Structure formats: structure tokens, C-alpha cells
Amino acid sequence: MGEIRDFKSGKPGNPPSNGAVPRRLAAIVAGDIAGYSRLMQLDEEGTHSRVKRIERELVEPTISEHHGRLVKTTGDGFIAMFDSPVEAVRCSIVIQQNLVGRNAAVPRDYWIEYRIGVNLGDVIIEPDDIYGDGVNVASRLEGIAEPGEVFISGGIYEQIKHKLVCGYESLGDRKVKNITDPVRVYRVLPDAAAYGRTRKRRENILIGLLALAMAIIAGGALWYMLTQQLGKQHDVALAPSASPALPAPSPLPSPLPSPALSPSPSPAPTLAGQQPSPQPAPSASPAVSAQAAAVPEPEMVPLAGGSFSMGSNDDASERPIHRVTVKPFAMGKYPVTVREWNACAAAKACGFVAAGKDDTPVTNVSWSDARQYVAWLADSARKAYRLPSEAEWEFAARGGTQTKYWWGDQMQAGAASCKDCGGAGGAEQPVKVGSFKANPFGLHDMGGGVDQWVEDCWHKSYQGAPTDGSAWLGGDCASHVIRSGSWKNDARYVRPASRDNYDTNVRYPTHGFRVAL
């Protein structure tokens, strides 16, 4: 993108000061399309149309959804400003990951890929632009990023390092154009597992070099020993005949056996004519082996199915209210726990090891992560585990009721875990599953606690939704439906009819899931 210029004059640098100017600390995101000139040469009108569509359908909505402000677009790029460094980086990741899906449908030469830089700095605010080194550093970070990557400054890293489940690779201090001091630069990796893979590759290279060095040293030592042995044999061959043998010395009394050198115990007595049986190698007890092989399956509650009125008039996305008939199925009694998730992680089938107590719900899970878990669980347990459909989830959450909440039309203090649920429900973090009363179907935490992924792709309303309880898979599958609300949301998200969506491949601290069967 190059240096940020005045929106009207095109001249570089900061505007002249006319007294006090509004300033603020902000997270600045600078994005630029890699190889824009080449793309325009290939297909000028097509490239222009695609870029504008990406700005309209992806960049602008994603910035808005992450509580940012699009300051301006620059033909082949954009500048955005955020109050939160976490949201700035999360927005950048979402843009990059959604572009991967869009590019999959076109030839490699026509891919539109952004380079993105994110910086935290004090900037000057004007109605139609922003200025200052904070903006210029973000632009410089974008300039050194590779296509499809997000580079962040050290200031951003310090703010987000314990708040996002993704990897960070330090690239050290970089000297960038027109910025006096070097900038500490980090590459953002899609998730913690990506960082682990990068680190593992480096470790493998180091291990390989170390092994090569050890092999060279061992080879040299072996060569030295062989040459020494050959020299000794040559000396013996040239030595004169041995003199008459001297008388053998008197035998010395045997020392007491050392415990370390004591002989192996005698084999157990055998029947006459039998050979002693070889001693088997020690092995784990059957109980330990069975425990190691066991798969911790979520506790399931069978539901008979039935018809219910799905949706509400409280929000446009929940309309129209429509009649749905759900077939019999089973639903997890609780959201999937840290212990259950980490069994999948230990089997190398899930992408990260979850933190937290074993009996709390797993969080920071993307929809793709949840699908990985149910695939592993189904294969390991030999049962048809899956994510529930949105209709199944709402049917189960209502528990046979049609009121605003399953317990009635008014919020009850301590009935669920959310920001303003009151009583024991106002927790600062996820609590143990089953801490709140079960609904009439015997299911816990079907509202509040953690957001819960379902199978369905996102649709802005129920217009055209299936009525047989199946998952609605058409539409915007770059986003999937989440239900339940979380401990960080207010009470309106706890309603069984409440629905929202989030990016398919992006993890978020309040997102979990439960399984169906």
C-alpha cells in the first residue's frame, strides 16, 4: 500500500496543526492486495468488480461485526481502526480465512490475497482520515507481510498474547522505512497448532543437524579406534616369541558378591522333564490397559422427538415462526467438557489441548474443531455421533415448552449462567457443567454457559428453512449457527429461540458445543 497520504491533497505526512487536534490510542489495521497491478493487467474489469464485491461483502461487514470503523478504502486496500487490539487481530484473521474459501473457486493466478499489518498507536483523528506514526507502522507491517498473512507489532502482541487461541512467530526487530526506531514484528499463525507445527519443523531441523554432527563424531571415534587396534595387532605380529610362562599366582579369596553384580534369581522349579518357561516381559495390568483404551463418551439423553413451533418474533433472524417435526434422537446431557475434549487431543485427532478444569465445558472451539471432535468420537466409539441440527437444538432447549425461557417468560436469578442472569449465574468464567437445574428433558446448560455450535450454515432468517428437523446446509457456509449464549452475554441470548453466527474456522473464547446421536 505504501505510505499513508492525506485523503485530499495526496501529500505524505501529518496535517498541519491548527491548535488542539483530537487524538486517541487505537489499533490500526492496514490491508493491501498483493499483486494488484498484475491482476488488473490480467482482467481489469473483472478484478475491479471482484475487489469491490470483497470490500462490500467481506471487509466492511467483518470490520463492523468486530466493532471497528472502516476509515477509508484505497482502491487496492483499506485502513480500519478498532478500540480493541483483540478485535482488530480477530477481524484480520477472519478476513484472511474467508479469502481462502473465496479463492478456492478461481485459478491460482486470479487469487485476491491481502497482506495485513496491525499496530497499536496514538493517532490523530479527522472526520475522513487518521494520521500519525501509528498508522504508518501498520502500513509498513502490511508491506513486509506475505500474501495471506497478518503481521502485528510488539505493542499489539503484548495486548493479545493471552487472549486469542492462535500462534505467534517472532520475527525480531525490523527497521522499516521512515520509522526511526526498529519495530518488533510477529507473524500471526491461524491457531496454536500451527505454531506447534512451525516449532516442530524447526526442532526437527535442529535434531537432524545434531544427529548429523553426532554421526560425524561417532564415525571419527570409530575410525580412530580401528586404526589403533590395527596398529596394536601389527606390533604384536612383530614382537619376539614369548618367554616361558611364569608360575600362576596363588588364588586370592573371593570377595563378597556386590548387590549390583549379584546373579539373576534362579528360575522357578519345574516338573521333571520340563524346560523352564521364559519369563514374560512386564506389562500393564488389564485395568490400566482398559482405562487407556477407553473413550470418555458424553452422557446422552434420549429424546422421543415431536413437533414444535420454532423461532420467535423477538428478532428478525428468528422469523418466521414455523412448525418443525423432529425425529427421535439423543442429545448430550451437558456441553462437551475439557476432559472429553482432551481425550481427542491426546489421540492427536483434535487441534489443541484445552485449558481449564476437567468438568468445565471446553471453550475456544471453532465449528471445524467441533466437527473434528465428533468425527473422532464417532470413529472411536463406533457410534454415529454428530453435531445437532439447529432445529434439534431448539427442540431440546425448549424442553416441551413454548415460553420465552423454558422455565417461563421472565428471567429467574440463578437459572442460567450469563452476564446479567443474577445469583450464581453471574460468573466471570465457565462453571462446572450441570451447575444449574436441568430443563424438563433432563438437559443442563441449554442456555448460558458457553455458546454452542450446531451443524447448520448461517441464514439471516427462517424463510425457506426445512421443517423436518434436518440441518440447513445451503446458504453462507463460511459462517455457522451458534446457540445458547454464554457467560459473557446478556439474558436475551439465553432464550431457546435466540440464534447467532460466527466464522466457521475461527476460534472464540466463549464458543463450545455438545453432541447429538
Side-chain angles (χ1 to χ4, degrees):
M1 181 184 292
E3 189 169 42
I4 303 303
R5 294 175 178 268
D6 185 285
F7 186 74
K8 296 176 181 176
S9 70
K11 297 179 181 179
N14 296 338
S17 174
N18 295 319
V21 292
R23 307 188 68 105
R24 60 176 287 192
L25 185 66
I28 308 300
V29 175
D32 180 65
I33 296 173
Y36 181 73
S37 298
R38 179 186 61 80
L39 290 167
M40 290 294 282
Q41 287 180 348
L42 285 173
D43 180 9
E44 187 173 72
E45 291 186 2
T47 296
H48 177 75
S49 175
R50 289 173 61 210
V51 169
K52 289 302 179 185
R53 187 164 62 249
I54 286 170
E55 287 177 355
R56 184 176 62 253
E57 296 177 359
L58 173 59
V59 174
E60 293 177 10
T62 303
I63 290 170
S64 177
E65 287 166 8
H66 291 83
H67 314 294
R69 168 195 162 195
L70 179 63
V71 177
K72 63 180 180 182
T73 58
T74 58
D76 62 342
F78 65 91
I79 297 290
M81 181 172 64
F82 295 78
D83 292 333
S84 164
V86 170
E87 293 293 348
V89 175
R90 185 176 286 134
C91 172
S92 302
I93 294 172
V94 170
I95 289 172
Q96 296 291 40
Q97 292 184 336
N98 276 277
L99 281 171
V100 171
R102 287 173 177 262
N103 285 328
V106 297
R108 178 70 179 84
D109 287 345
Y110 290 83
W111 284 8
I112 292 178
E113 295 179 291
Y114 278 92
R115 297 186 300 253
I116 294 180
V118 190
N119 180 50
L120 183 66
D122 190 87
V123 295
I124 298 170
I125 309 294
E126 288 202 344
D128 54 7
D129 213 340
I130 54 176
Y131 302 88
D133 278 351
V135 183
N136 290 332
V137 169
S139 178
R140 298 306 180 209
L141 291 173
E142 165 264 300
I144 63 176
E146 294 296 322
E149 292 190 339
V150 179
F151 278 17
I152 63 175
S153 66
I156 290 286
Y157 172 76
E158 290 301 323
Q159 293 296 317
I160 72 170
K161 60 184 178 181
H162 299 307
K163 298 181 177 71
L164 282 176
V165 181
C166 56
Y168 309 99
E169 182 180 9
S170 175
L171 303 179
D173 292 339
R174 296 286 188 91
K175 186 72 175 69
V176 296
K177 183 180 177 182
N178 293 341
I179 302 298
T180 305
D181 297 325
V183 178
R184 177 63 56 87
V185 180
Y186 293 84
R187 174 188 286 114
V188 177
L189 303 172
D191 52 45
Y195 173 73
R197 290 191 295 270
T198 302
R199 182 176 180 180
K200 190 67 177 175
R201 283 196 298 269
R202 292 179 173 177
E203 288 176 352
N204 288 340
I205 291 171
L206 291 174
I207 290 170
L209 291 173
L210 180 61
L212 179 61
M214 293 295 291
I216 292 171
I217 293 170
L222 181 61
W223 175 84
Y224 175 79
M225 292 171 62
L226 288 173
T227 55
Q228 291 296 311
Q229 185 65 27
L230 289 172
K232 290 179 180 179
Q233 291 177 359
H234 179 70
D235 292 343
V236 169
L238 297 178
S241 301
S243 57
L246 296 174
S250 301
L252 295 173
S254 299
L256 292 174
S258 166
L261 300 176
S262 58
S264 300
S266 300
T270 61
L271 296 175
Q274 286 187 337
Q275 296 295 324
S277 300
Q279 296 298 312
S283 60
S285 66
V288 173
S289 298
Q291 184 178 4
V295 175
E297 294 183 62
E299 186 176 351
M300 306 299 291
V301 176
L303 303 177
S307 296
F308 76 108
S309 295
M310 183 174 179
S312 80
N313 288 317
D314 290 351
D315 187 88
S317 69
E318 300 164 16
R319 296 194 291 262
I321 299 174
H322 56 295
R323 199 71 178 164
V324 176
T325 300
V326 174
K327 297 176 182 178
F329 71 106
M331 181 74 102
K333 187 174 184 178
Y334 313 106
V336 171
T337 64
V338 168
R339 181 178 71 90
E340 290 161 350
W341 172 271
N342 281 343
C344 178
K348 310 297 186 195
C350 289
F352 65 94
V353 176
K357 296 180 179 179
D358 283 352
D359 55 6
T360 58
V362 64
T363 57
N364 279 314
V365 177
S366 70
W367 182 87
S368 298
D369 290 329
R371 283 295 302 272
Q372 278 187 330
Y373 174 86
V374 293
W376 167 81
L377 183 63
D379 182 65
S380 302
R382 300 291 189 268
K383 298 177 184 177
Y385 285 106
R386 57 181 173 81
L387 291 179
S389 70
E390 185 176 11
E392 287 174 334
W393 195 96
E394 185 170 330
F395 172 81
R398 288 184 178 278
T401 70
Q402 285 295 144
T403 48
K404 188 171 185 177
Y405 307 96
W406 66 257
W407 56 80
D409 287 321
Q410 302 298 322
M411 171 54 67
Q412 291 181 3
S417 176
C418 74
K419 186 169 64 175
D420 55 355
C421 282
E428 297 294 327
Q429 59 188 355
V431 297
K432 176 182 176 181
V433 296
S435 294
F436 299 90
K437 186 179 177 180
N439 74 2
F441 283 169
L443 301 169
H444 292 264
D445 310 317
M446 296 292 289
V450 291
D451 296 299
Q452 297 172 32
W453 289 108
V454 295
E455 183 69 21
D456 303 54
C457 301
W458 172 246
H459 296 79
K460 293 181 179 179
S461 74
Y462 286 136
Q463 195 67 46
T467 58
D468 61 355
S470 61
W472 198 3
L473 300 181
D476 180 13
C477 287
S479 298
H480 277 77
V481 178
I482 51 174
R483 290 301 204 113
S484 175
S486 76
W487 80 94
K488 283 192 172 184
N489 295 125
D490 58 48
R492 71 176 182 272
Y493 290 91
V494 174
R495 296 177 299 109
S498 175
R499 60 196 299 262
D500 205 343
N501 74 101
Y502 207 74
D503 304 278
T504 298
N505 297 314
V506 179
R507 294 170 179 161
Y508 193 78
T510 64
H511 291 176
F513 67 105
R514 71 175 72 214
V515 300
L517 179 64

